[in-house]
Structure formats: structure tokens, C-alpha cells
Coordinates of all heavy atoms in Angstrom, one line a residue:
V1 N -36.6 -15.0 -11.0 CA -37.2 -13.9 -10.3 C -38.2 -13.1 -11.2 O -37.8 -12.9 -12.3 CB -36.0 -12.9 -9.8 CG1 -36.6 -11.7 -9.1 CG2 -35.0 -13.7 -8.8
D2 N -39.3 -12.8 -10.6 CA -40.2 -12.1 -11.4 C -39.6 -10.7 -11.8 O -38.9 -10.1 -11.0 CB -41.5 -12.0 -10.6 CG -42.2 -13.2 -10.3 OD1 -41.9 -14.3 -10.9 OD2 -43.0 -13.4 -9.2
A3 N -40.1 -10.2 -13.0 CA -39.6 -9.0 -13.5 C -39.9 -7.9 -12.5 O -39.0 -7.0 -12.4 CB -40.2 -8.7 -14.9
D4 N -41.0 -7.8 -11.9 CA -41.3 -6.8 -10.9 C -40.4 -6.8 -9.7 O -40.3 -5.7 -9.0 CB -42.8 -6.8 -10.5 CG -43.8 -6.7 -11.6 OD1 -43.4 -6.0 -12.6 OD2 -44.9 -7.1 -11.5
D5 N -39.7 -7.9 -9.4 CA -38.9 -8.0 -8.2 C -37.5 -7.9 -8.5 O -36.6 -8.0 -7.5 CB -39.2 -9.4 -7.5 CG -40.6 -9.5 -7.2 OD1 -41.4 -8.6 -6.9 OD2 -41.2 -10.8 -7.1
C6 N -37.0 -7.7 -9.7 CA -35.5 -7.7 -10.0 C -34.9 -6.6 -9.3 O -33.7 -6.9 -8.8 CB -35.4 -7.4 -11.5 SG -35.8 -9.0 -12.5
E7 N -35.4 -5.5 -9.2 CA -34.7 -4.3 -8.5 C -34.4 -4.7 -7.0 O -33.3 -4.6 -6.5 CB -35.3 -3.1 -8.6 CG -34.7 -1.9 -8.0 CD -35.4 -0.6 -8.1 OE1 -36.5 -0.5 -8.7 OE2 -34.9 0.4 -7.6
E8 N -35.4 -5.1 -6.3 CA -35.2 -5.5 -4.8 C -34.3 -6.7 -4.7 O -33.5 -6.8 -3.7 CB -36.6 -5.9 -4.3 CG -36.5 -6.0 -2.8 CD -36.1 -4.7 -2.1 OE1 -36.5 -3.6 -2.4 OE2 -35.3 -4.8 -1.1
V9 N -34.4 -7.7 -5.5 CA -33.4 -8.9 -5.4 C -32.0 -8.4 -5.7 O -31.1 -8.8 -5.1 CB -34.0 -10.0 -6.3 CG1 -32.9 -11.2 -6.3 CG2 -35.2 -10.5 -5.8
A10 N -31.9 -7.6 -6.7 CA -30.5 -7.0 -7.0 C -29.9 -6.3 -6.0 O -28.7 -6.3 -5.5 CB -30.5 -6.1 -8.3
I11 N -30.8 -5.5 -5.1 CA -30.3 -4.7 -4.0 C -29.9 -5.8 -2.9 O -28.8 -5.6 -2.3 CB -31.4 -3.8 -3.4 CG1 -31.6 -2.7 -4.5 CG2 -31.1 -3.3 -2.0 CD1 -32.9 -1.8 -4.2
L12 N -30.6 -6.8 -2.7 CA -30.3 -7.8 -1.7 C -28.9 -8.5 -2.1 O -28.1 -8.7 -1.1 CB -31.4 -8.8 -1.6 CG -32.7 -8.4 -1.0 CD1 -33.8 -9.4 -1.2 CD2 -32.5 -8.0 0.5
I13 N -28.7 -8.8 -3.3 CA -27.5 -9.4 -3.8 C -26.4 -8.5 -3.6 O -25.3 -8.8 -3.1 CB -27.7 -9.9 -5.2 CG1 -28.6 -11.1 -5.2 CG2 -26.3 -10.4 -5.7 CD1 -28.9 -11.6 -6.5
G14 N -26.5 -7.3 -3.9 CA -25.5 -6.2 -3.6 C -25.1 -6.1 -2.2 O -24.0 -6.0 -1.8
L15 N -26.1 -6.1 -1.4 CA -25.8 -6.0 0.1 C -25.1 -7.2 0.6 O -24.2 -7.1 1.4 CB -27.2 -6.0 0.9 CG -27.8 -4.7 1.1 CD1 -29.2 -4.8 1.8 CD2 -26.9 -3.7 2.0
K16 N -25.3 -8.4 0.0 CA -24.7 -9.6 0.4 C -23.3 -9.4 0.0 O -22.3 -9.9 0.7 CB -25.3 -10.8 -0.3 CG -24.5 -12.1 0.0 CD -24.7 -13.0 -1.2 CE -23.9 -14.4 -1.0 NZ -22.8 -14.6 -1.8
I17 N -22.9 -8.9 -1.2 CA -21.6 -8.9 -1.7 C -20.8 -7.7 -0.9 O -19.6 -8.0 -0.5 CB -21.5 -8.7 -3.2 CG1 -22.1 -9.9 -3.9 CG2 -20.1 -8.4 -3.6 CD1 -22.3 -9.7 -5.4
F18 N -21.3 -6.7 -0.8 CA -20.6 -5.6 -0.2 C -20.7 -5.5 1.3 O -19.8 -4.8 1.9 CB -21.1 -4.2 -0.9 CG -20.6 -4.1 -2.3 CD1 -21.4 -4.4 -3.3 CD2 -19.3 -3.8 -2.6 CE1 -21.1 -4.3 -4.6 CE2 -18.9 -3.7 -3.9 CZ -19.8 -3.9 -4.9
A19 N -21.7 -5.9 2.0 CA -21.8 -5.9 3.4 C -21.5 -7.5 3.8 O -20.4 -7.9 3.9 CB -23.1 -5.4 3.9
N20 N -22.6 -8.2 3.9 CA -22.6 -9.6 4.1 C -24.0 -10.2 4.1 O -24.9 -9.5 4.0 CB -21.8 -10.0 5.5 CG -22.5 -9.5 6.7 OD1 -23.7 -9.6 6.8 ND2 -21.8 -9.0 7.7
E21 N -24.0 -11.5 4.1 CA -25.3 -12.2 4.0 C -26.2 -11.9 5.1 O -27.5 -12.0 4.9 CB -25.0 -13.7 3.7 CG -24.4 -14.4 4.9 CD -22.9 -14.3 4.9 OE1 -22.3 -13.7 4.0 OE2 -22.3 -14.8 5.9
F22 N -25.7 -11.6 6.3 CA -26.6 -11.4 7.4 C -27.3 -10.1 7.3 O -28.5 -10.0 7.6 CB -25.8 -11.4 8.7 CG -25.0 -12.7 9.0 CD1 -23.7 -12.7 8.8 CD2 -25.7 -13.8 9.2 CE1 -22.8 -14.0 9.1 CE2 -25.1 -15.0 9.4 CZ -23.7 -15.1 9.3
V23 N -26.6 -9.0 6.8 CA -27.3 -7.7 6.5 C -28.4 -8.0 5.4 O -29.6 -7.5 5.4 CB -26.3 -6.8 6.1 CG1 -27.0 -5.5 5.6 CG2 -25.3 -6.4 7.1
A24 N -28.0 -8.8 4.3 CA -29.1 -9.1 3.3 C -30.3 -9.7 3.7 O -31.4 -9.5 3.4 CB -28.4 -9.8 2.1
Y25 N -30.0 -10.9 4.6 CA -31.1 -11.6 5.1 C -32.0 -10.7 6.0 O -33.2 -10.8 6.0 CB -30.6 -12.8 5.8 CG -30.4 -14.0 5.0 CD1 -29.2 -14.7 5.0 CD2 -31.5 -14.5 4.2 CE1 -29.0 -15.7 4.0 CE2 -31.3 -15.6 3.4 CZ -30.0 -16.2 3.3 OH -29.9 -17.4 2.5
A26 N -31.4 -9.8 6.8 CA -32.1 -8.9 7.7 C -33.1 -8.1 6.9 O -34.2 -7.8 7.1 CB -31.2 -8.1 8.5
R27 N -32.6 -7.6 5.7 CA -33.4 -6.8 4.8 C -34.5 -7.6 4.1 O -35.6 -7.2 4.0 CB -32.6 -6.1 3.7 CG -33.4 -5.2 2.9 CD -32.6 -4.5 1.9 NE -33.4 -3.9 0.8 CZ -33.7 -2.6 0.8 NH1 -33.2 -1.8 1.6 NH2 -34.5 -2.0 -0.2
L28 N -34.1 -8.8 3.8 CA -35.1 -9.8 3.2 C -36.3 -10.1 4.0 O -37.4 -10.2 3.5 CB -34.4 -11.1 2.7 CG -35.3 -12.2 2.1 CD1 -35.8 -11.6 0.7 CD2 -34.4 -13.4 2.0
T29 N -36.1 -10.0 5.3 CA -37.1 -10.4 6.2 C -37.9 -9.2 6.8 O -38.8 -9.3 7.6 CB -36.6 -11.3 7.5 OG1 -35.6 -10.5 8.1 CG2 -36.1 -12.6 6.9
T30 N -37.6 -8.0 6.4 CA -38.4 -6.9 6.8 C -39.8 -6.9 6.2 O -40.0 -7.4 5.0 CB -37.7 -5.6 6.4 OG1 -37.6 -5.5 4.9 CG2 -36.3 -5.4 7.1
P31 N -40.8 -6.5 6.8 CA -42.2 -6.5 6.4 C -42.4 -5.8 5.0 O -43.1 -6.3 4.1 CB -43.0 -5.8 7.4 CG -42.2 -6.0 8.6 CD -40.7 -5.9 8.3
E32 N -41.7 -4.8 4.7 CA -41.7 -4.0 3.5 C -41.3 -4.9 2.3 O -41.9 -4.9 1.2 CB -40.9 -2.7 3.5 CG -41.3 -1.8 4.5 CD -40.7 -2.0 5.8 OE1 -39.6 -2.7 5.9 OE2 -41.3 -1.7 6.9
V33 N -40.1 -5.6 2.5 CA -39.6 -6.4 1.4 C -40.5 -7.7 1.2 O -40.7 -8.1 0.1 CB -38.2 -6.8 1.6 CG1 -37.6 -7.7 0.6 CG2 -37.3 -5.5 1.6
V34 N -40.8 -8.3 2.4 CA -41.7 -9.5 2.2 C -43.0 -9.2 1.5 O -43.4 -10.0 0.6 CB -42.0 -10.0 3.6 CG1 -43.1 -11.1 3.6 CG2 -40.7 -10.5 4.2
A35 N -43.6 -8.0 1.7 CA -44.8 -7.6 1.1 C -44.5 -7.3 -0.4 O -45.4 -7.5 -1.3 CB -45.4 -6.4 1.7
K36 N -43.4 -6.8 -0.7 CA -43.1 -6.4 -2.1 C -42.8 -7.6 -3.1 O -43.0 -7.6 -4.2 CB -41.9 -5.5 -2.1 CG -41.6 -4.8 -3.5 CD -40.3 -3.9 -3.5 CE -40.5 -2.7 -2.5 NZ -39.4 -1.8 -2.5
L37 N -42.1 -8.7 -2.4 CA -41.6 -9.7 -3.4 C -42.7 -10.8 -3.5 O -43.5 -11.0 -2.5 CB -40.4 -10.4 -2.7 CG -39.1 -9.5 -2.7 CD1 -38.0 -10.4 -2.0 CD2 -38.6 -9.1 -4.1
S38 N -42.7 -11.4 -4.6 CA -43.6 -12.6 -4.8 C -43.0 -13.8 -4.1 O -41.8 -13.7 -3.7 CB -43.7 -13.0 -6.3 OG -42.5 -13.6 -6.8
A39 N -43.8 -14.7 -3.8 CA -43.3 -15.9 -3.1 C -42.2 -16.5 -3.8 O -41.1 -17.0 -3.1 CB -44.5 -17.0 -2.8
R40 N -42.3 -16.7 -5.1 CA -41.1 -17.3 -5.9 C -39.8 -16.5 -5.8 O -38.8 -17.1 -5.6 CB -41.6 -17.5 -7.3 CG -40.6 -18.2 -8.1 CD -41.1 -18.4 -9.6 NE -40.3 -19.1 -10.5 CZ -39.3 -18.5 -11.2 NH1 -39.3 -17.1 -11.3 NH2 -38.5 -19.2 -11.9
S41 N -40.0 -15.2 -5.9 CA -38.8 -14.3 -5.8 C -38.1 -14.4 -4.4 O -36.9 -14.4 -4.2 CB -39.1 -12.9 -6.1 OG -39.5 -12.8 -7.5
F42 N -38.9 -14.5 -3.4 CA -38.5 -14.6 -2.0 C -37.7 -15.9 -1.9 O -36.7 -16.0 -1.3 CB -39.6 -14.5 -1.0 CG -39.3 -14.5 0.4 CD1 -39.0 -13.3 1.0 CD2 -39.1 -15.7 1.1 CE1 -38.6 -13.3 2.4 CE2 -38.7 -15.7 2.5 CZ -38.5 -14.6 3.1
Y43 N -38.2 -17.0 -2.5 CA -37.6 -18.3 -2.3 C -36.2 -18.3 -3.1 O -35.3 -18.8 -2.5 CB -38.6 -19.3 -3.0 CG -38.2 -20.7 -3.2 CD1 -38.4 -21.6 -2.1 CD2 -37.7 -21.3 -4.3 CE1 -38.1 -22.9 -2.2 CE2 -37.4 -22.5 -4.4 CZ -37.6 -23.4 -3.3 OH -37.2 -24.7 -3.3
I44 N -36.3 -17.8 -4.3 CA -35.1 -17.7 -5.0 C -34.0 -16.7 -4.4 O -32.9 -17.2 -4.2 CB -35.3 -17.2 -6.5 CG1 -36.2 -18.3 -7.2 CG2 -34.0 -16.9 -7.2 CD1 -36.6 -17.8 -8.6
A45 N -34.4 -15.7 -3.8 CA -33.5 -14.7 -3.2 C -32.9 -15.4 -1.9 O -31.7 -15.2 -1.7 CB -34.2 -13.4 -2.8
S46 N -33.6 -16.3 -1.3 CA -33.1 -16.8 -0.1 C -32.0 -17.8 -0.5 O -31.1 -17.8 0.3 CB -34.2 -17.8 0.6 OG -35.3 -16.9 1.1
Y47 N -32.1 -18.4 -1.6 CA -30.9 -19.3 -2.0 C -29.8 -18.5 -2.5 O -28.6 -18.7 -2.3 CB -31.4 -20.3 -3.0 CG -32.0 -21.5 -2.5 CD1 -33.5 -21.7 -2.4 CD2 -31.3 -22.6 -2.1 CE1 -34.0 -22.7 -1.9 CE2 -31.9 -23.7 -1.6 CZ -33.2 -23.8 -1.5 OH -33.9 -24.9 -1.0
A48 N -30.1 -17.4 -3.3 CA -29.0 -16.5 -3.8 C -28.2 -15.9 -2.7 O -26.9 -15.5 -2.9 CB -29.6 -15.5 -4.8
L49 N -28.8 -15.6 -1.5 CA -28.0 -15.0 -0.5 C -27.2 -15.9 0.3 O -26.5 -15.4 1.2 CB -29.0 -14.2 0.5 CG -29.9 -13.1 -0.2 CD1 -30.7 -12.4 0.7 CD2 -28.9 -12.2 -0.9
C50 N -27.3 -17.3 0.2 CA -26.6 -18.2 0.9 C -25.1 -18.1 0.5 O -24.7 -17.8 -0.6 CB -27.1 -19.6 0.7 SG -28.6 -20.0 1.5
G51 N -24.2 -18.4 1.5 CA -22.7 -18.4 1.1 C -22.0 -17.2 1.8 O -22.7 -16.2 2.2
F52 N -20.7 -17.4 1.8 CA -19.8 -16.4 2.4 C -19.0 -15.6 1.4 O -18.0 -15.2 1.9 CB -18.9 -17.0 3.5 CG -19.8 -17.7 4.5 CD1 -19.9 -19.1 4.6 CD2 -20.4 -16.9 5.6 CE1 -20.7 -19.7 5.6 CE2 -21.1 -17.5 6.6 CZ -21.2 -18.9 6.6
S53 N -19.4 -15.6 0.3 CA -18.6 -14.8 -0.8 C -19.0 -13.4 -0.9 O -19.9 -12.9 -1.4 CB -18.8 -15.5 -2.2 OG -20.3 -15.6 -2.5
N54 N -18.2 -12.6 -0.1 CA -18.2 -11.1 0.0 C -16.9 -10.5 0.3 O -16.0 -11.2 0.4 CB -19.3 -10.7 1.1 CG -19.0 -11.3 2.4 OD1 -18.0 -11.1 2.9 ND2 -20.0 -12.0 3.1
F55 N -17.0 -9.2 0.2 CA -15.6 -8.5 0.4 C -15.0 -8.8 1.8 O -13.8 -8.8 1.9 CB -15.7 -7.1 0.0 CG -15.8 -6.8 -1.4 CD1 -17.0 -6.4 -2.0 CD2 -14.7 -7.0 -2.2 CE1 -17.1 -6.2 -3.4 CE2 -14.8 -6.8 -3.7 CZ -15.9 -6.3 -4.2
G56 N -15.8 -8.9 2.7 CA -15.3 -9.2 4.1 C -14.7 -10.5 4.1 O -13.6 -10.8 4.8
S57 N -15.1 -11.5 3.4 CA -14.4 -12.8 3.3 C -13.0 -12.8 2.7 O -12.2 -13.6 2.9 CB -15.4 -13.8 2.5 OG -16.6 -14.0 3.3
I58 N -12.9 -11.8 1.7 CA -11.6 -11.6 1.1 C -10.5 -11.4 2.2 O -9.5 -11.9 2.3 CB -11.7 -10.5 0.0 CG1 -12.3 -11.0 -1.2 CG2 -10.2 -10.1 -0.3 CD1 -12.5 -9.9 -2.3
G59 N -10.9 -10.5 3.1 CA -9.9 -10.1 4.2 C -9.7 -11.3 5.0 O -8.5 -11.6 5.5
I60 N -10.7 -12.2 5.4 CA -10.6 -13.2 6.2 C -9.7 -14.2 5.5 O -8.8 -14.9 6.2 CB -12.0 -14.0 6.5 CG1 -12.8 -12.9 7.4 CG2 -11.9 -15.2 7.2 CD1 -14.2 -13.3 7.6
M61 N -10.0 -14.5 4.2 CA -9.1 -15.4 3.5 C -7.6 -15.0 3.5 O -6.7 -15.8 3.7 CB -9.6 -15.7 2.1 CG -10.7 -16.6 2.0 SD -11.2 -17.1 0.5 CE -11.8 -15.6 -0.3
L62 N -7.4 -13.8 3.1 CA -6.0 -13.2 3.2 C -5.4 -13.2 4.5 O -4.2 -13.6 4.6 CB -6.0 -11.7 2.6 CG -6.1 -11.6 1.1 CD1 -6.2 -10.2 0.8 CD2 -5.0 -12.4 0.4
G63 N -6.1 -12.9 5.5 CA -5.6 -13.0 6.9 C -5.3 -14.3 7.4 O -4.3 -14.6 8.2
G64 N -6.0 -15.3 6.9 CA -5.8 -16.8 7.3 C -4.7 -17.4 6.4 O -4.0 -18.2 6.9
L65 N -4.7 -17.1 5.1 CA -3.7 -17.8 4.1 C -2.4 -17.2 4.1 O -1.4 -17.9 4.0 CB -4.3 -17.9 2.8 CG -5.6 -18.6 2.7 CD1 -6.1 -18.6 1.3 CD2 -5.3 -20.2 3.0
T66 N -2.3 -15.8 4.2 CA -0.9 -15.2 4.1 C 0.1 -15.7 5.1 O 1.2 -15.8 4.8 CB -1.2 -13.7 4.0 OG1 -2.0 -13.3 3.0 CG2 0.1 -13.0 3.8
P67 N -0.4 -15.8 6.4 CA 0.6 -16.1 7.4 C 1.2 -17.6 7.2 O 2.3 -17.9 7.4 CB 0.0 -16.1 8.7 CG -1.2 -15.1 8.5 CD -1.6 -15.2 7.0
M68 N 0.4 -18.5 6.4 CA 0.8 -19.8 6.1 C 1.8 -19.8 5.0 O 2.7 -20.7 4.9 CB -0.3 -20.7 5.8 CG -1.2 -21.0 7.0 SD -2.4 -22.3 6.6 CE -3.9 -21.2 6.3
A69 N 1.7 -18.8 4.2 CA 2.7 -18.7 2.9 C 3.0 -17.3 2.6 O 2.4 -16.7 1.7 CB 2.0 -19.4 1.6
P70 N 3.8 -16.7 3.5 CA 4.0 -15.2 3.4 C 4.6 -14.8 1.9 O 4.3 -13.8 1.5 CB 5.0 -14.9 4.5 CG 5.0 -16.1 5.4 CD 4.4 -17.3 4.7
A71 N 5.4 -15.7 1.4 CA 5.9 -15.4 0.1 C 4.9 -15.3 -1.0 O 5.2 -14.7 -2.1 CB 7.1 -16.3 -0.2
Q72 N 3.8 -16.0 -0.8 CA 2.7 -16.1 -1.8 C 1.7 -14.9 -1.7 O 0.7 -15.1 -2.4 CB 2.1 -17.4 -1.8 CG 3.1 -18.6 -2.0 CD 3.8 -18.5 -3.4 OE1 3.2 -18.2 -4.2 NE2 5.0 -18.9 -3.3
G73 N 1.9 -14.1 -0.8 CA 0.9 -12.9 -0.7 C 0.3 -12.3 -1.8 O -0.8 -12.2 -1.9
P74 N 1.2 -11.9 -2.8 CA 0.7 -11.2 -4.0 C -0.2 -12.1 -4.8 O -1.2 -11.7 -5.4 CB 1.9 -10.7 -4.7 CG 3.0 -10.5 -3.7 CD 2.6 -11.6 -2.7
K75 N 0.2 -13.4 -4.9 CA -0.6 -14.4 -5.7 C -1.9 -14.6 -5.0 O -3.0 -14.8 -5.7 CB 0.3 -15.7 -5.8 CG 1.4 -15.6 -6.8 CD 2.0 -17.0 -6.8 CE 3.4 -16.8 -7.7 NZ 4.1 -18.1 -7.7
L76 N -1.9 -14.7 -3.7 CA -3.1 -15.0 -2.9 C -4.1 -13.7 -3.0 O -5.2 -13.9 -3.3 CB -2.8 -15.2 -1.5 CG -2.2 -16.5 -1.2 CD1 -1.6 -16.5 0.4 CD2 -3.0 -17.6 -1.4
A77 N -3.5 -12.6 -3.0 CA -4.4 -11.3 -3.2 C -5.1 -11.4 -4.6 O -6.3 -11.0 -4.7 CB -3.5 -10.1 -3.2
K78 N -4.5 -11.9 -5.6 CA -5.2 -12.0 -6.8 C -6.1 -13.1 -6.9 O -7.3 -13.0 -7.4 CB -4.2 -12.3 -8.0 CG -3.3 -11.0 -8.3 CD -2.3 -11.3 -9.3 CE -1.4 -10.2 -9.7 NZ -0.3 -10.4 -10.6
L79 N -5.8 -14.2 -6.2 CA -6.6 -15.4 -6.2 C -8.0 -15.2 -5.4 O -9.0 -15.8 -5.8 CB -5.8 -16.6 -5.7 CG -6.5 -17.9 -5.5 CD1 -6.8 -18.4 -6.9 CD2 -5.7 -19.0 -4.8
V80 N -7.9 -14.5 -4.3 CA -9.1 -14.5 -3.4 C -10.2 -13.7 -4.1 O -11.4 -14.0 -3.9 CB -8.8 -13.9 -2.1 CG1 -7.8 -14.8 -1.2 CG2 -8.2 -12.5 -2.1
F81 N -9.9 -12.7 -4.9 CA -11.0 -12.0 -5.7 C -11.7 -13.0 -6.7 O -12.9 -13.1 -6.7 CB -10.4 -10.9 -6.4 CG -11.6 -10.0 -7.0 CD1 -12.4 -9.3 -6.3 CD2 -11.8 -10.1 -8.4 CE1 -13.4 -8.5 -6.9 CE2 -12.8 -9.3 -9.1 CZ -13.6 -8.5 -8.1
S82 N -10.9 -13.8 -7.3 CA -11.4 -14.8 -8.2 C -12.4 -15.9 -7.4 O -13.4 -16.3 -7.9 CB -10.3 -15.6 -8.9 OG -9.6 -14.7 -9.8
A83 N -11.9 -16.2 -6.3 CA -12.7 -17.1 -5.4 C -13.9 -16.5 -5.0 O -14.9 -17.2 -4.9 CB -11.7 -17.5 -4.2
M84 N -13.9 -15.2 -4.7 CA -15.2 -14.6 -4.3 C -16.2 -14.6 -5.6 O -17.4 -14.9 -5.4 CB -15.0 -13.1 -3.9 CG -16.3 -12.4 -3.4 SD -16.2 -10.7 -3.2 CE -16.2 -10.2 -4.9
I85 N -15.7 -14.3 -6.7 CA -16.6 -14.3 -7.9 C -17.1 -15.8 -8.1 O -18.3 -16.0 -8.5 CB -15.7 -13.9 -9.1 CG1 -15.3 -12.5 -9.0 CG2 -16.6 -14.0 -10.4 CD1 -16.3 -11.4 -8.8
A86 N -16.2 -16.7 -7.9 CA -16.7 -18.2 -8.1 C -17.7 -18.6 -7.1 O -18.6 -19.2 -7.4 CB -15.4 -19.1 -8.1
G87 N -17.4 -18.1 -5.9 CA -18.5 -18.4 -4.8 C -19.8 -17.7 -5.1 O -20.8 -18.4 -4.8
N88 N -19.8 -16.5 -5.6 CA -21.0 -15.8 -5.8 C -21.8 -16.6 -7.1 O -22.9 -16.7 -7.1 CB -20.8 -14.4 -6.2 CG -20.7 -13.5 -4.9 OD1 -21.6 -13.6 -4.1 ND2 -19.8 -12.7 -4.8
T89 N -20.9 -17.0 -8.0 CA -21.6 -17.7 -9.2 C -22.2 -19.0 -8.7 O -23.2 -19.3 -9.2 CB -20.4 -18.0 -10.2 OG1 -19.8 -16.8 -10.6 CG2 -21.0 -18.7 -11.4
A90 N -21.5 -19.7 -7.8 CA -22.1 -21.0 -7.2 C -23.4 -20.6 -6.5 O -24.4 -21.4 -6.6 CB -21.1 -21.6 -6.2
C91 N -23.5 -19.6 -5.7 CA -24.7 -19.1 -5.0 C -25.8 -18.9 -6.0 O -27.0 -19.2 -5.8 CB -24.5 -18.1 -4.1 SG -23.4 -18.4 -2.7
L92 N -25.5 -18.1 -7.1 CA -26.5 -17.7 -8.0 C -27.0 -19.0 -8.8 O -28.1 -19.1 -9.2 CB -25.9 -16.6 -9.0 CG -25.6 -15.4 -8.3 CD1 -25.0 -14.3 -9.2 CD2 -26.9 -14.8 -7.6
M93 N -26.1 -20.0 -9.1 CA -26.4 -21.1 -9.8 C -27.4 -21.9 -9.0 O -28.3 -22.6 -9.5 CB -25.3 -21.9 -10.3 CG -24.5 -21.2 -11.3 SD -25.4 -20.9 -12.9 CE -25.8 -22.5 -13.4
T94 N -27.1 -22.0 -7.6 CA -28.0 -22.8 -6.7 C -29.4 -22.1 -6.7 O -30.4 -22.8 -6.8 CB -27.4 -22.7 -5.3 OG1 -26.1 -23.3 -5.4 CG2 -28.3 -23.4 -4.4
A95 N -29.4 -20.8 -6.8 CA -30.7 -20.1 -6.8 C -31.5 -20.3 -8.2 O -32.7 -20.5 -8.1 CB -30.5 -18.6 -6.6
C96 N -30.7 -20.5 -9.3 CA -31.4 -20.8 -10.5 C -32.0 -22.2 -10.5 O -33.2 -22.5 -10.9 CB -30.3 -20.7 -11.6 SG -29.8 -19.1 -12.0
I97 N -31.4 -23.1 -9.9 CA -31.8 -24.5 -9.8 C -33.1 -24.5 -8.8 O -34.1 -25.2 -9.1 CB -30.7 -25.4 -9.3 CG1 -29.6 -25.5 -10.3 CG2 -31.3 -27.0 -9.1 CD1 -29.9 -26.0 -11.6
A98 N -32.9 -23.7 -7.7 CA -34.1 -23.7 -6.8 C -35.3 -23.1 -7.6 O -36.4 -23.5 -7.4 CB -33.7 -22.9 -5.6
G99 N -35.1 -22.1 -8.4 CA -36.2 -21.4 -9.1 C -36.7 -22.5 -10.2 O -38.0 -22.4 -10.4
I100 N -36.0 -23.3 -10.6 CA -36.5 -24.4 -11.6 C -37.4 -25.3 -10.8 O -38.4 -25.7 -11.4 CB -35.3 -25.2 -12.3 CG1 -34.6 -24.2 -13.3 CG2 -35.9 -26.4 -13.0 CD1 -33.3 -24.9 -13.7
F101 N -37.0 -25.7 -9.6 CA -37.8 -26.7 -8.9 C -38.9 -26.0 -8.0 O -39.7 -26.8 -7.4 CB -36.9 -27.5 -7.9 CG -36.1 -28.6 -8.8 CD1 -34.7 -28.4 -8.7 CD2 -36.7 -29.5 -9.5 CE1 -33.9 -29.3 -9.4 CE2 -35.9 -30.3 -10.2 CZ -34.5 -30.3 -10.2
Y102 N -39.1 -24.7 -8.1 CA -40.2 -24.1 -7.3 C -41.4 -24.4 -7.8 O -41.7 -24.3 -9.0 CB -39.9 -22.6 -7.4 CG -41.0 -21.8 -6.6 CD1 -41.0 -21.7 -5.2 CD2 -42.1 -21.3 -7.2 CE1 -42.0 -21.1 -4.5 CE2 -43.1 -20.6 -6.6 CZ -43.0 -20.5 -5.2 OH -44.1 -19.9 -4.6
E103 N -42.3 -24.8 -6.9 CA -43.7 -25.1 -7.2 C -44.6 -24.2 -6.3 O -44.5 -24.1 -5.1 CB -44.1 -26.5 -6.9 CG -43.4 -27.5 -7.8 CD -43.8 -28.9 -7.6 OE1 -44.7 -29.2 -6.8 OE2 -43.1 -29.8 -8.2
A104 N -45.5 -23.5 -7.0 CA -46.4 -22.5 -6.3 C -47.5 -23.4 -5.5 O -47.8 -24.5 -5.9 CB -47.2 -21.7 -7.3
D105 N -47.9 -22.9 -4.4 CA -48.9 -23.7 -3.6 C -50.2 -23.8 -4.4 O -50.7 -23.0 -5.0 CB -49.1 -22.9 -2.4 CG -47.8 -23.1 -1.4 OD1 -47.0 -24.1 -1.6 OD2 -47.5 -22.2 -0.6

């Protein structure tokens, strides 16, 4: 991501984690953000926002897994946060690879 675009991309990633990817993509496609970001930063941010690793997903995972193994609830509660971190890391690594292969027009 270009240095001038770091703040806006960080805001988008924060929105993805604390709200969800749909909110972040909605902001990414607003005319103000599109005009502010370089084409390369827009491309990288598009990849960084992919995925379902956010706090809402923690609730979905706990709600789906805990009934299957009720005795394991406390262990699952610790595990799902690590899973969210791993998912975000995977999304950010995908964005890094996309940035390596980006070619300007």
C-alpha cells in the first residue's frame, strides 16, 4: 500500500474486523475513498478485505460449535479468537502476494 494511503486502508481493515467485510467494502467503493486511494492500494485493499474473520464470526463459530460439544465451550471460546487472528493473517498475506503481482496499466 502506498504510504499516502495507509491511514485509509487501516480504517478499512479495522471496519472489516470490528463490523464486517460488507461494511468495509461499502466504504471502499464510496467515491471519496476511490478518489483518495491509488489504483495499487485499492487493488491490495480489495484482497485484504476478503474473508469472514471478524468479531461477528466469533459468535457464529461459538454458536455453531458449542452445541456440538457443550463440554468444550471454554476451550472453544479461546480457540475461536485465535482462529480469527489466523484468518486475518491469511487475508493480509493474500493481499501481500496480490501487491507483489500488481502491474500498473
Side-chain angles (χ1 to χ4, degrees):
V1 174
D2 299 337
D4 294 339
D5 300 333
C6 284
E7 182 180 0
E8 189 60 44
V9 173
I11 290 169
L12 291 168
I13 292 171
L15 274 174
K16 177 208 179 246
I17 293 170
F18 289 98
N20 63 40
E21 62 281 355
F22 302 111
V23 174
Y25 274 123
R27 180 180 170 102
L28 178 65
T29 57
T30 59
E32 300 83 30
V33 174
V34 171
K36 190 185 291 187
L37 294 179
S38 68
R40 181 174 184 269
S41 295
F42 186 89
Y43 180 83
I44 292 170
S46 297
Y47 278 94
L49 299 179
C50 288
F52 299 104
S53 51
N54 56 51
F55 284 109
S57 295
I58 287 177
I60 293 169
M61 284 191 288
L62 282 176
L65 294 174
T66 304
M68 289 188 260
Q72 302 299 321
K75 289 180 185 175
L76 290 172
K78 291 179 184 174
L79 180 67
V80 294
F81 185 75
S82 297
M84 185 193 75
I85 298 297
N88 276 312
T89 302
C91 291
L92 295 175
M93 291 303 297
T94 301
C96 289
I97 299 300
I100 290 171
F101 289 113
Y102 177 79
E103 292 182 9
D105 293 332

